[in-house]
Amino acid sequence: MAAKSSSSEPGTVRPGGRTARTRAAVRDAVLAGLVEHGYPGLTVEYVAEHSGVHKTTLYRRWGGVDGLVAEALGLAGEDAWTPPDTGTLRGDLRALAHGIVDTFTAPGTAAAPTALIAAAFQSERAAEALRAFHRERFARCGPLIARAVERGEAPAGTDAGAVVRAVSAPLFLRLFITREPVDAAVADEAAEATLAAVAAGAHVTTAG
Amino acid sequence: MAAKSSSSEPGTVRPGGRTARTRAAVRDAVLAGLVEHGYPGLTVEYVAEHSGVHKTTLYRRWGGVDGLVAEALGLAGEDAWTPPDTGTLRGDLRALAHGIVDTFTAPGTAAAPTALIAAAFQSERAAEALRAFHRERFARCGPLIARAVERGEAPAGTDAGAVVRAVSAPLFLRLFITREPVDAAVADEAAEATLAAVAAGAHVTTAG
């Protein structure tokens, strides 16, 4: 969803076609550049060199570095990720928390999202792309909460976004604010704390 | 506490004396430089110019940019901050949450801590200083939790650090990861969710 609106692609080239390959190459080059040099060091020249897409094409379609960063995060939001479905809310929350810990403790998977989070300190376009990415992720978790409500594990009106924020927040706090280690025990603590808050109705939306 | 060990000050100069003034001037210059240029643009020259402390003195005492950043955060941890004491755990958690929202929604108070959080993406010394700063903050909140346990609002063994992390995490997540707005309602939601988790024993330390 999020990515759709940030893209000005002509609708005639199908996924998997030439345009999709170009966009994937550009995304990979942007992420590699952010990991290697950080946002202040990222240049359109670097992206051109590493994607094989001509510099003038990059400028014409994405306007510059900020547009390229937004595109990279937009594409990240177009992946096939679906929320866990373990049969219990506890299981689903633990799986979400462990997924975050796994992603950010393995250097290979941590580098790109970490670079994007860092870029948002310097680029409002990157911040907006990060916002859209998470809006989309929270929306995808709607069914997870709907199932929990059906099973009687969460009160009606529980907000999926609030629950996903709650279970991920303690992990991101440690990773990027207090700079403390995260591990499976921390993930489980986040899941248990969130379960208790959900049961107490702390994440029921009161307004629309 | 944290700041003590990061300092190699001779013990003979008393707080408020010449050394304290020098350190305060250096800290202010470092924070101003981080706010103005970010970590990649901060130089010892800038700190010298804005603190009135000679460049060679800065190099001798702090080694360079990384040491200066660590010093700035170490000094931030030496402030007189004490945790709220409103008479209830709910009131204390709300006060903590509102304090974070207030700090990070006013540009004047948000700029320096935001710059330090951003610097930690690029400097391991800054990350270590941020870690020490929060360790110290969590330790200061010990009495807040002790009072809650005494009043029967939290189970014995509730970990102060876990509770403070829990109430602040959703705010920092919105501020720096999902890049969503924070306000008083979000602060109250964080406090209520944390209260529920505390009551359920989700933040009781099992080891240590």
Side-chain angles (χ1 to χ4, degrees):
Chain A
M1 267 181 240
K4 256 184 217 163
S5 63
S6 72
S7 161
S8 55
E9 293 298 307
T12 49
V13 179
R14 299 238 306 285
R18 189 162 47 85
T19 298
R21 280 198 305 274
T22 299
R23 295 179 69 199
V26 167
R27 176 200 56 203
D28 291 347
V30 169
L31 295 178
L34 284 176
V35 169
E36 199 176 332
H37 298 296
Y39 178 79
L42 185 68
T43 60
V44 174
E45 285 71 17
Y46 179 100
V47 177
E49 195 181 318
H50 288 75
S51 67
V53 178
H54 200 278
K55 216 171 71 170
T56 54
T57 307
L58 294 177
Y59 275 112
R60 195 178 63 241
R61 287 181 52 183
W62 288 286
V65 164
D66 263 11
L68 286 166
V69 168
E71 164 76 5
L73 201 59
L75 269 186
E78 286 181 12
D79 67 6
W81 186 86
T82 53
D85 184 5
T86 64
T88 65
L89 180 57
R90 169 173 279 123
D92 287 354
L93 293 178
R94 287 190 174 217
L96 282 173
H98 282 263
I100 294 170
V101 168
D102 291 348
T103 297
F104 284 94
T105 50
T109 49
T114 300
L116 286 165
I117 291 166
F121 283 84
Q122 287 139 338
S123 156
E124 184 44 46
R125 282 288 290 276
E128 172 49 43
L130 216 42
R131 201 153 37 237
F133 173 81
H134 286 97
R135 200 183 306 133
E136 157 76 7
R137 278 287 196 260
F138 296 159
R140 289 195 207 177
C141 289
L144 186 160
I145 297 303
R147 291 190 299 264
V149 172
E150 263 173 49
R151 288 186 302 248
E153 296 170 309
T158 297
D159 181 62
V163 175
V164 180
R165 283 190 202 92
V167 73
S168 51
L171 307 171
F172 283 109
L173 181 88
R174 284 175 172 265
L175 286 162
F176 298 117
I177 310 298
T178 64
R179 295 279 170 181
E180 298 169 290
V182 294
D183 59 18
V186 169
D188 288 343
E189 183 188 345
E192 292 304 315
T194 303
L195 262 184
V198 167
H203 298 307
V204 170
T205 338
T206 46
Chain B
M1 267 182 240
K4 257 184 215 163
S5 62
S6 73
S7 161
S8 54
E9 293 298 307
T12 47
V13 180
R14 300 236 306 283
R18 189 162 47 85
T19 298
R21 279 198 305 275
T22 299
R23 293 180 69 201
V26 167
R27 175 201 56 201
D28 291 346
V30 169
L31 295 179
L34 284 177
V35 169
E36 200 175 329
H37 299 295
Y39 177 81
L42 185 69
T43 59
V44 174
E45 285 71 18
Y46 179 99
V47 177
E49 194 181 317
H50 289 76
S51 67
V53 178
H54 200 279
K55 216 172 70 170
T56 54
T57 308
L58 295 176
Y59 275 114
R60 195 179 64 244
R61 286 182 52 186
W62 288 286
V65 165
D66 263 11
L68 286 165
V69 169
E71 164 74 6
L73 200 59
L75 269 185
E78 285 179 13
D79 67 6
W81 186 85
T82 54
D85 184 6
T86 64
T88 65
L89 180 57
R90 170 172 280 122
D92 287 354
L93 293 178
R94 286 188 176 219
L96 282 173
H98 283 263
I100 293 170
V101 168
D102 292 348
T103 297
F104 284 95
T105 50
T109 49
T114 300
L116 286 165
I117 291 166
F121 283 84
Q122 286 139 338
S123 155
E124 185 43 46
R125 281 289 287 280
E128 172 50 43
L130 215 43
R131 202 153 36 236
F133 173 81
H134 286 98
R135 202 183 303 133
E136 158 74 8
R137 277 289 196 262
F138 297 157
R140 289 194 207 177
C141 290
L144 185 160
I145 297 302
R147 291 191 299 266
V149 171
E150 264 174 47
R151 289 187 300 249
E153 296 170 308
T158 298
D159 181 61
V163 175
V164 181
R165 282 190 203 93
V167 75
S168 51
L171 307 171
F172 284 109
L173 181 87
R174 281 175 174 266
L175 286 162
F176 298 118
I177 310 297
T178 64
R179 296 280 170 178
E180 298 170 288
V182 294
D183 59 18
V186 169
D188 288 342
E189 182 189 346
E192 292 305 315
T194 304
L195 263 183
V198 166
H203 298 305
V204 171
T205 338
T206 46

